[in-house]
Amino acid sequence: MTMIYLDNAATTRPDSDAVREALYYLEDGFYNPSALYKESFAVHRALEAARKNIISQIADPQKFTLLFTSCGSEADNQALFSCARRGNFVTTEGEHAAIYNAALEIARRGVEVRYAKLDPYGCADEADLLQLVDENTSLVSVIHVGNETGAVNDIANIAKKVKAKNPRAYFHSDGVQAFGKIPFRLTNDIDFYSVSAHKIGGVRGAGALFRNKNKNLFPLIYGGGQEGGLRSGTENTFAIMQFAAATKKKFAALSEDLSRVGILNRRFRQGLDEKIFTVLSGECASPYILSVSAKGLRGEVLQHMIDDCGVVVGTGSACSSKNRYSRVILACGADERTADGVLRISFSSQTTEQECEEAIRVINDCGNRLAERTK
């Protein structure tokens, strides 16, 4: 039985072309980029070229730079612990665990944390967020694309309004589920932006934090002074180079992939049995993520049934899989019976129509069988 993989918001299959392109830096170009001999300097130059190429996809290299990290969570943490050091920190109830749990630690350290509400589809309530911002706000962080419902926040517009209210406040966004999937450019009002390699066909072990060159940042990891002194530790050259290759490939096909994945998303919305499943993601959500609920059924049980039939889907964020009820889905206004039945279906550019047709059949069949058993 061939497995159909539809949990791409958790991680994606590494792009084989990008792996082959970067393999040299795993096998032959293994030199430490910080060493002084010519072989190492060649690797250093390749890393700098990769950095510029990634920046250019979404930002002006004259205004933004980026530092490589181990993952999106590290990039999120560095931005938060660097900037939310005084006054209050404003974020939303729809953030990834890397932001939400870091915020809990920031509160423990004495900084007030304020959470903006969500609309029923998972978007930040803009009016509620802006009324939380005042002259003492040190940082605002708003996720770009929600990792559970795919809700898209207009971070450029939100950042502009935040800066109008408090020009000294930093603005950060977790862009892990947006980068390489939806078209956008970083504006001058966005100070920091986190991305991750393994969500777009990269290998695990590489992420990045975009930084407006006019904004200061403090290290999270201290040591040998790599990444301009902002992220010490010997660079993961292979993962970074593979990330750069995967990024180039993703952005070259971004519009085409977005259109095709949108068709697959709509097919699921139309094909899932309405007697069992309710769609939670809004029509304007990223087409790469579709959240549904089999209300009254256990999503985890249904997930295992579907898996046994050769289809892999999620039950929400993989980083929050130990919790029965998703705090994000509850924050959207769902009751516990709805939150208990959540499945997250997420696509990649490699997902085919044939796979989707078979997955819809399997999910409907499993949903109906579980509903019969629970009557």
Side-chain angles (χ1 to χ4, degrees):
M1 180 171 60
T2 303
M3 184 263 289
I4 298 172
Y5 182 70
L6 294 173
D7 196 23
N8 291 279
T11 196
T12 56
R13 183 189 299 276
D15 183 88
S16 56
D17 292 334
V19 170
R20 283 191 292 271
E21 187 172 334
L23 204 56
Y24 167 80
Y25 297 94
L26 188 65
E27 297 178 337
D28 296 314
F30 58 86
Y31 307 100
N32 189 323
S34 298
L36 299 179
Y37 35 83
K38 66 179 184 297
E39 292 84 358
S40 290
F41 186 65
V43 174
H44 170 77
R45 290 177 61 186
L47 282 181
E48 291 310 304
R51 191 190 313 274
K52 291 178 182 178
N53 287 337
I54 294 173
I55 293 170
S56 67
Q57 302 297 339
I58 64 167
D60 181 351
Q62 298 299 315
K63 297 179 180 179
F64 285 86
T65 186
L66 68 78
L67 61 146
F68 289 114
T69 64
S70 66
C71 59
S73 291
E74 182 190 334
D76 283 343
N77 273 240
Q78 183 159 4
L80 266 58
F81 287 112
S82 179
C83 299
R85 296 186 169 197
R86 58 170 177 80
N88 62 74
F89 164 42
V90 177
T91 187
T92 82
E93 294 181 344
E95 300 299 307
H96 184 274
I99 299 292
Y100 186 81
N101 289 330
L104 297 179
E105 174 60 21
I106 287 170
R108 191 189 68 80
R109 298 182 185 185
V111 175
E112 180 189 0
V113 180
R114 301 173 176 179
Y115 298 93
K117 298 175 182 177
L118 305 181
D119 72 12
Y121 300 111
C123 287
D125 183 323
E126 187 177 307
D128 187 51
L129 183 138
L130 290 172
Q131 66 89 19
L132 296 175
V133 176
D134 60 26
E135 67 276 7
N136 295 316
T137 300
S138 56
L139 173 68
V140 176
S141 185
V142 178
I143 197 167
H144 194 174
V145 171
N147 57 302
E148 297 203 32
T149 67
V152 180
N153 288 307
D154 185 352
I155 58 170
N157 184 54
I158 295 172
K160 183 177 181 179
K161 291 180 178 179
V162 166
K163 297 287 185 173
K165 193 167 184 182
N166 180 352
R168 296 184 298 111
Y170 288 103
F171 187 90
H172 166 264
S173 181
D174 179 323
V176 167
Q177 297 292 349
F179 184 73
K181 297 179 180 179
I182 64 172
F184 70 96
R185 301 285 294 179
L186 294 182
T187 64
N188 289 338
D189 295 313
I190 299 169
D191 301 311
F192 302 102
Y193 191 81
S194 304
V195 300
S196 179
H198 75 101
K199 307 296 188 180
I200 59 163
V203 294
R204 289 182 287 275
L209 179 63
F210 285 77
R211 175 176 68 88
N212 188 312
K213 289 182 178 181
N214 292 324
K215 302 301 178 179
N216 292 325
L217 187 68
F218 294 100
L220 189 65
I221 298 174
Y222 292 83
Q226 289 87 351
E227 293 298 291
L230 293 175
R231 202 277 180 182
S232 292
T234 303
E235 297 90 343
N236 186 348
T237 310
F238 166 71
I240 289 170
M241 298 306 293
Q242 197 270 347
F243 180 20
T247 296
K248 183 178 180 181
K249 184 174 181 179
K250 281 294 294 182
F251 276 88
L254 190 148
S255 296
E256 179 185 343
D257 289 344
L258 186 66
S259 177
R260 197 172 63 79
V261 169
I263 293 172
L264 302 181
N265 185 296
R266 288 191 293 274
R267 180 67 192 92
F268 258 90
R269 289 173 181 263
Q270 297 164 2
L272 289 177
D273 190 336
E274 294 181 354
K275 298 190 299 295
I276 303 294
F277 297 101
T278 300
V279 175
L280 302 179
S281 297
E283 291 288 342
C284 294
S286 166
Y288 283 87
I289 297 175
L290 179 65
S291 223
V292 302
S293 174
K295 187 173 182 178
L297 304 180
R298 284 293 306 275
E300 184 178 352
V301 174
L302 185 53
Q303 178 194 41
H304 290 311
M305 291 177 64
I306 295 168
D307 190 15
D308 288 341
C309 295
V311 178
V312 177
V313 298
T315 55
S317 171
C319 295
S320 304
S321 59
K322 294 180 181 178
N323 301 319
R324 178 166 179 175
Y325 305 119
S326 161
R327 59 174 172 79
V328 173
I329 298 300
L330 293 176
C332 292
D335 57 27
E336 289 187 349
R337 291 185 73 240
T338 299
D340 201 21
V342 169
L343 295 178
R344 182 184 67 177
I345 300 155
S346 49
F347 310 92
S348 81
S349 57
Q350 282 73 50
T351 306
T352 68
E353 292 185 26
Q354 292 78 12
E355 287 177 326
C356 287
E357 292 297 334
E358 175 61 13
I360 291 169
R361 184 193 68 77
V362 167
I363 293 170
N364 282 337
D365 179 65
C366 291
N368 278 284
R369 285 195 285 120
L370 184 58
E372 284 296 318
R373 280 168 35 187
T374 55
K375 280 185 178 179

